Amino acid sequence: PGEPPSDDHRVVRLGSVPVKPMSVDEALMQVRGSRDPFLVFRNTESQQVTVLFRRPDGRFALVEAEA
């Protein structure tokens, strides 16, 4: 019928991460000092779960979950 999905489209669960409260500035300092490409944290200003990640161009992007 069809081809099986390639390994490129599978999701590999790597585990869970703690969601620590911190400011965006603190999160940025932590990501800059780390080899990790992203950080999940609770933004102390908005209280929302937030992801800070390094973009391919070297800049950083912030994604905040809606409640």
Side-chain angles (χ1 to χ4, degrees):
E3 295 182 17
S6 73
D7 287 339
D8 294 340
H9 295 98
R10 293 190 180 160
V11 175
V12 177
R13 183 171 175 86
L14 297 177
S16 59
V17 293
V19 180
K20 298 178 182 176
M22 63 181 74
S23 70
V24 172
D25 288 338
E26 290 171 313
L28 185 57
M29 285 190 305
Q30 188 166 333
V31 170
R32 281 186 172 153
S34 169
R35 296 179 74 188
D36 294 329
F38 69 92
L39 176 68
V40 180
F41 65 101
R42 182 170 302 279
N43 185 335
T44 52
E45 186 176 314
S46 67
Q47 298 303 312
Q48 298 299 314
V49 173
T50 305
V51 178
L52 177 69
F53 65 95
R54 188 175 288 118
R55 296 167 24 128
D57 64 6
R59 296 170 63 194
F60 293 90
L62 197 67
V63 178
E64 195 164 82
E66 289 186 12

